[in-house]
Amino acid sequence: MKSLLAVLLVGLCLADGLLAKTTSNLSEYMATQSLKWEQLPMQWNEGAFLGNGKIGMMVYVDSVDNSLTLWLGRPDVTDHRMAPDRKTSLGIKGASVMTDYCRMDIGKMKLFPQAKILSGTMELDIYNAELDGVLHTDKGDLFFKAYTPYNMEVNVVEIITNVPYSWKQYPGSPRSPRIQVFPDLKEKLKYEDNPMPQYIAYKHEGWSVHPLLAGGDYATYWKEICNEKNSVMYVSTMNEVPKSGLSLSKAKKEVDEAVSLGVSILKNEMRNWWHNYYRTGLIAIPDKKMENFYHIQLYKLATCSRVDGPVMDVFGTFYKTSQWPGIWWNLNVQLTYMSTHATNRLEQGANYQKLLDALFADIMMAYGPARCGDFAWALYIYYSYMRYDGASWFEISDKVMPKAIKLLEYYLPHLEERNGIIYLLDTESPEYEGFKTYDNSNYNLAALRWLLQTMIQISNNTGNKPKEYSDWKEIIKKLHPYPIDDNGYMIGSNTPVTKSHRHYSHLLSFYPLRLQDITDPQVNNILEKSIDHWMTIGNGSGLAGYSYTGAASLYAYQGNGNKAYKQIYHFLNNSIGISLLLPNTMYVESGGKNPVIETPLSAATAITEMLLQGWGETLRIFPAIPNDWSDCAFDELRAEGGFVVSASRKSGKLEWVKIQSQTGKRCRIYLPQWENVFQVEGPRVNIKSEGGGYYTIFIPKGRTVAFSYNKAMVVDESYCLPELGRRNFYGVKKGKGLPKQMDWSQDKDEKRRMFLRLNPSYLLK
């Protein structure tokens, strides 16, 4: 199947009164999705990001020292203070993500031209994963191309210029980012800095080694290969913790191998990987800015996660000094990995599965019993991955049941039966009133119900019912009902939602767990009341970006496309409370100082949920489309059961739907608009009507079929380029730079940075 991008086809473009240009050339379409900087990014929050899930960098210009700056990142460079024999202290009882297994700063590479940088432009081509830029200086132009080859742990920068310049390495701080941000904690926590890095610099080569108190080290090596008018700089960071003395030699070997291969081979291999990556999961919707944003999130996923890479923390592959230097389990990592499912990016979610296979019980027990719900949600993501992958119930049982049983053991001490009702005592509702616990918190009631229902479902589908099976059914039968008041769902018994609060933990039973039947009007009304109250109380003063993406997903589950779209539109275009969506689509909180990657990725998830849903063993095509999206399409999104689905909607009606079955399982689909269903492509299959718009289709494993209401329908999968003026929305646009420097640095250059930002014409003097 050809990748689809817009089965908007000519129709959508003509509807806008503009000439449509169609092409089968995916690269031409993807050029309209790239990020373009009409003026130079002047800080991390405006920079261009490149990576391959193991190593990466953020690229921007530092106006204070007149440099092109690469802030290097490697997500498995963490401390391991309570696990000297392991790479990380994650899962160790008593270990803190703030100081014991926090991310560590690798450092920066800086290019210093022997000239004053006056201005410049950049473009991040997400189809090829390459950054092209030019620095205009008072002595001429400096052209650069930066990229991170997918199959190597190295970053590369090519330079073409007549302007003299030099590279210099700046090793990162050996101190926990949390202590850097809050230095007063150093004495309070009795924190001891790691040793200072060892550092060697030559004209075209250098390296640093960061020893760690717990043993082992991480090292960065760089080399520049120069020709008459151009050069190539290669830089690699390796992290052989817990072993010592190996990281530097491995980084040097990686650079030497990249040099021997040469840039042509490196780029060709990289481009082939990325081009194949974009063959699925693309969308076409009338809101071209939203469409552009979505595709950048696909790029972001692959820069930050891979099968053989570490699990994404709040930074992804990239690093910025922050008070949150690691993995958070009360929403962040869950939302991050939900984005890999419907977008058909399961490969980017496989590392999460591996982590839970290795450390689920250890991580859960390290955090304490009041946080059971966090790990039920974490397990739901694990289970959901298997459902989207089309795993059999026996495979799910082998992987999920041992984890579920261990988690249930953690829940049981919180249960107390009174007068035939089982109360759930002393568990959290994340971030509401800090770490306070509640009786019958809606968050944990939903998590426990999902856990028990899933264990029962697995047992029923495999025929393997352990002796505790009847106990699970008894707990569900007697479990306290969800606390509800006049405003909808409460935090817990006797705890209404009385203040603006960013987390939708109290609505977990609706989304993502989907335990409630929203086809019941009474249930649907309570949900809408709950969302509306949560989003408007206190004028939304406590909301964050993921509040809007969460509300969009909740409304999409209802089938309310207008409200779902309104929330995503607000997230992309308006003020989002205590947080910011940046020009490069990164997301930050705390005045722009703390990056957290899950929120933009969760927005991509919400967009897919407007286009395709697969809950209740049933595919729903365009289930939450706003009224004015008469034409839209998607190409090879994924649904539970191992189904890969494409569809086109034109003039307000579903034209056709195309389904590939990767497992051969029964496919149930809801097609309420169609009076008849005709097969228009693929091997002949049996279509059975259940009535009410529901159909059952039996598609052989590995085969693809297409259906329409019109037996003469031709499935058209051509591309449609967005018209001029509705392309390349992201990157810093002329005169639209951020108004201030947004980081934790309080150094002497801060005033100068702010002056230059507010007076950019000064650079031209």
Side-chain angles (χ1 to χ4, degrees):
M1 171 180 175
K2 294 182 297 182
S3 279
L4 170 84
L5 199 285
V7 152
L8 291 181
L9 306 173
V10 180
L12 177 59
C13 300
L14 290 178
D16 290 340
L18 295 167
L19 181 64
K21 180 183 179 182
T22 60
T23 175
S24 60
N25 188 342
L26 178 58
S27 64
E28 188 174 357
Y29 171 78
M30 292 303 291
T32 71
Q33 304 297 290
S34 63
L35 296 91
K36 290 189 176 183
W37 285 259
E38 296 172 358
Q39 64 183 49
L40 292 172
M42 306 290 275
Q43 57 177 304
W44 191 101
N45 283 11
E46 295 176 333
F49 53 99
L50 298 148
N52 63 15
K54 283 189 173 181
I55 195 167
M57 55 184 168
M58 184 70 77
V59 183
Y60 57 95
V61 167
D62 189 327
S63 61
V64 171
D65 61 14
N66 195 58
S67 72
L68 177 67
T69 298
L70 321 175
W71 201 337
L72 306 175
R74 184 179 174 108
D76 63 350
V77 172
T78 66
D79 219 328
H80 63 129
R81 297 196 169 201
M82 294 187 68
D85 59 339
R86 283 176 27 188
K87 202 163 192 172
T88 174
S89 304
L90 177 64
I92 300 296
K93 187 73 172 177
S96 167
V97 67
M98 306 296 191
T99 55
D100 293 309
Y101 57 97
C102 51
R103 276 284 290 274
M104 299 298 294
D105 188 6
I106 291 170
K108 300 170 184 173
M109 290 296 301
K110 285 177 172 280
L111 181 151
F112 292 99
Q114 294 178 25
K116 186 176 182 179
I117 299 172
L118 303 176
S119 62
T121 59
M122 293 179 5
E123 180 172 356
L124 177 54
D125 175 358
I126 65 172
Y127 186 57
N128 291 310
E130 297 173 15
L131 174 68
D132 286 285
V134 57
L135 305 180
H136 303 304
T137 79
D138 59 359
K139 294 183 180 178
D141 291 342
L142 185 152
F143 297 91
F144 65 92
K145 180 186 288 287
Y147 48 92
T148 306
Y150 194 79
N151 294 322
M152 298 203 70
E153 296 171 58
V154 63
N155 293 305
V156 182
V157 183
E158 301 178 35
I159 303 294
I160 300 177
T161 188
N162 289 316
V163 178
Y165 67 90
S166 61
W167 284 102
K168 186 174 181 181
Q169 179 188 4
Y170 289 79
S173 170
R175 175 179 291 183
S176 158
R178 182 75 170 191
I179 304 299
Q180 293 181 58
V181 168
F182 301 121
D184 291 346
L185 290 176
K186 180 174 169 58
E187 183 176 349
K188 179 180 178 181
L189 299 177
K190 295 181 172 56
Y191 178 86
E192 182 180 356
D193 290 343
N194 289 300
M196 290 298 294
Q198 304 152 12
Y199 171 58
I200 298 292
Y202 299 106
K203 185 175 182 180
H204 299 295
E205 181 185 27
W207 59 85
S208 65
V209 178
H210 280 75
L212 297 171
L213 282 176
D217 54 51
Y218 59 95
T220 299
Y221 174 83
W222 68 275
K223 178 186 284 187
E224 183 183 22
I225 306 298
C226 299
N227 297 313
E228 186 175 340
K229 286 189 176 181
N230 66 289
S231 71
V232 185
M233 192 278 294
Y234 304 82
V235 57
S236 177
T237 299
M238 291 293 179
N239 176 31
E240 291 301 293
V241 172
K243 298 176 183 178
S244 296
L246 300 180
S247 298
L248 179 59
S249 60
K250 190 170 180 182
K252 186 177 187 303
K253 181 179 179 181
E254 192 77 356
V255 167
D256 288 344
E257 184 178 345
V259 171
S260 68
L261 288 172
V263 295
S264 294
I265 291 175
L266 292 176
K267 284 188 288 191
N268 285 338
E269 289 181 349
M270 179 181 69
R271 289 169 180 171
N272 287 339
W273 188 92
W274 281 96
H275 295 175
N276 186 62
Y277 175 78
Y278 287 115
R279 291 177 65 84
T280 64
L282 305 186
I283 68 170
I285 55 178
D287 188 327
K288 292 299 164 188
K289 183 177 182 180
M290 190 176 293
E291 179 179 310
N292 191 181
F293 172 86
Y294 169 86
H295 292 133
I296 294 170
Q297 303 322 297
L298 297 187
Y299 167 76
K300 189 182 294 178
L301 268 176
T303 65
C304 289
S305 194
R306 58 191 289 153
V307 172
D308 57 345
V311 164
M312 288 182 277
D313 60 18
V314 297
F315 296 160
T317 300
F318 316 105
Y319 176 89
K320 183 184 182 186
T321 303
S322 165
Q323 70 186 83
W324 301 323
I327 298 174
W328 261 256
W329 293 92
N330 64 356
L331 169 144
N332 304 74
V333 74
Q334 292 93 327
L335 291 188
T336 298
Y337 278 93
M338 283 172 65
S339 67
T340 68
H341 298 173
T343 60
N344 202 11
R345 295 300 185 272
L346 294 185
E347 183 176 332
Q348 277 58 54
N351 53 17
Y352 178 85
Q353 303 297 107
K354 291 179 181 179
L355 176 66
L356 265 61
D357 281 340
L359 291 175
F360 178 74
D362 291 340
I363 296 170
M364 177 179 66
M365 288 187 284
Y367 274 85
R371 296 187 56 180
C372 299
D374 294 351
F375 295 99
W377 191 353
L379 185 59
Y380 167 79
I381 304 304
Y382 181 98
Y383 164 83
S384 182
Y385 177 100
M386 298 191 74
R387 296 283 287 128
Y388 275 83
D389 196 32
S392 72
W393 285 107
F394 292 98
E395 292 171 318
I396 292 172
S397 179
D398 287 344
K399 294 285 191 177
V400 173
M401 282 296 272
K403 299 176 181 66
I405 289 169
K406 196 70 177 178
L407 178 54
L408 183 58
E409 290 175 3
Y410 231 36
Y411 263 116
L412 292 178
H414 292 275
L415 302 182
E416 182 178 301
E417 184 170 352
R418 307 175 200 158
N419 300 320
I421 297 174
I422 295 178
Y423 291 75
L424 178 58
L425 307 178
D426 295 323
T427 60
E428 291 184 9
S429 185
E431 299 189 0
Y432 196 81
E433 299 178 325
F435 297 99
K436 188 175 178 180
T437 61
Y438 305 91
D439 291 346
N440 303 313
S441 76
N442 265 319
Y443 179 68
N444 273 282
L445 284 171
L448 178 56
R449 278 195 172 90
W450 172 81
L451 181 68
L452 292 165
Q453 288 183 14
T454 300
M455 294 168 76
I456 291 168
Q457 184 182 30
I458 292 171
S459 297
N460 289 341
N461 285 316
T462 61
N464 180 17
K465 298 180 180 180
K467 62 181 185 300
E468 298 87 359
Y469 177 85
S470 58
D471 296 335
W472 304 339
K473 299 191 77 172
E474 187 72 8
I475 294 173
I476 285 185
K477 180 180 178 181
K478 294 181 177 179
L479 192 60
H480 195 286
Y482 298 113
I484 298 173
D485 66 8
D486 290 343
N487 292 315
Y489 275 62
M490 303 165 67
I491 297 298
S493 293
N494 305 315
T495 308
V497 180
T498 58
K499 58 186 177 183
S500 187
H501 168 53
R502 62 186 180 176
H503 208 301
Y504 51 95
S505 54
H506 60 301
L507 301 177
L508 193 73
S509 64
F510 291 100
Y511 182 85
L513 302 185
R514 297 189 174 99
L515 300 175
Q516 307 276 31
D517 181 9
I518 49 85
T519 63
D520 181 332
Q522 185 175 358
V523 172
N524 203 31
N525 289 338
I526 293 173
L527 172 56
E528 187 157 14
K529 182 190 297 184
S530 301
I531 308 170
D532 291 346
H533 174 68
W534 164 55
M535 291 297 290
T536 58
I537 188 171
N539 294 318
S541 60
L543 300 178
Y546 65 71
S547 309
Y548 296 93
T549 67
S553 291
L554 283 157
Y555 285 130
Y557 178 47
Q558 281 190 300
N560 192 331
N562 291 330
K563 284 193 171 183
Y565 174 63
K566 180 180 179 181
Q567 297 301 326
I568 298 295
Y569 182 90
H570 185 107
F571 172 72
L572 296 182
N573 297 285
N574 299 329
S575 172
I576 47 177
I578 61 175
S579 49
L580 293 167
L581 181 65
L582 300 171
N584 55 10
T585 80
M586 293 294 182
Y587 166 85
V588 287
E589 297 181 355
S590 307
K593 298 176 181 179
N594 295 325
V596 272
I597 200 170
E598 84 290 321
T599 295
L601 295 179
S602 71
T605 303
I607 292 167
T608 66
E609 290 162 343
M610 296 168 67
L611 301 170
L612 172 68
Q613 294 177 26
W615 50 270
E617 309 289 332
T618 303
L619 299 181
R620 292 168 174 81
I621 315 300
F622 300 120
I625 297 297
N627 292 341
D628 57 356
W629 282 17
S630 59
D631 292 22
C632 49
F634 61 86
D635 174 41
E636 295 194 359
L637 297 180
R638 183 174 282 267
E640 290 185 10
F643 297 109
V644 177
V645 185
S646 305
S648 168
R649 171 183 167 97
K650 191 172 182 181
S651 301
K653 186 169 184 176
L654 174 63
E655 278 195 304
W656 53 261
V657 59
K658 199 166 190 175
I659 306 169
Q660 178 190 104
S661 174
Q662 297 189 340
T663 63
K665 294 181 178 179
R666 178 186 73 114
C667 177
R668 188 171 188 260
I669 189 168
Y670 183 49
L671 300 168
Q673 283 188 313
W674 291 358
E675 293 181 6
N676 296 293
V677 175
F678 298 99
Q679 184 177 345
V680 293
E681 275 191 12
R684 193 59 48 190
V685 298
N686 182 34
I687 307 169
K688 180 181 178 182
S689 174
E690 299 178 15
Y694 292 92
Y695 297 85
T696 298
I697 307 168
F698 296 93
I699 307 171
K701 180 179 179 179
R703 306 307 293 268
T704 302
V705 294
F707 306 96
S708 176
Y709 66 92
N710 177 1
K711 61 183 176 182
M713 177 68 66
V714 175
V715 175
D716 190 340
E717 299 175 293
S718 57
Y719 296 91
C720 179
L721 297 179
E723 58 271 24
L724 294 175
R726 302 181 73 202
R727 306 175 178 181
N728 309 111
F729 290 90
Y730 291 95
V732 180
K733 306 309 176 185
K734 186 70 71 175
K736 299 294 185 181
L738 295 171
K740 63 179 180 179
Q741 194 75 15
M742 296 178 175
D743 58 40
W744 287 98
S745 172
Q746 299 298 321
D747 62 38
K748 62 183 180 181
D749 297 322
E750 179 66 15
K751 288 184 178 180
R752 175 169 167 77
R753 283 194 177 94
M754 290 185 68
F755 172 79
L756 291 173
R757 182 162 301 283
L758 296 173
N759 301 275
S761 61
Y762 183 81
L763 290 172
L764 301 177
K765 297 179 182 178

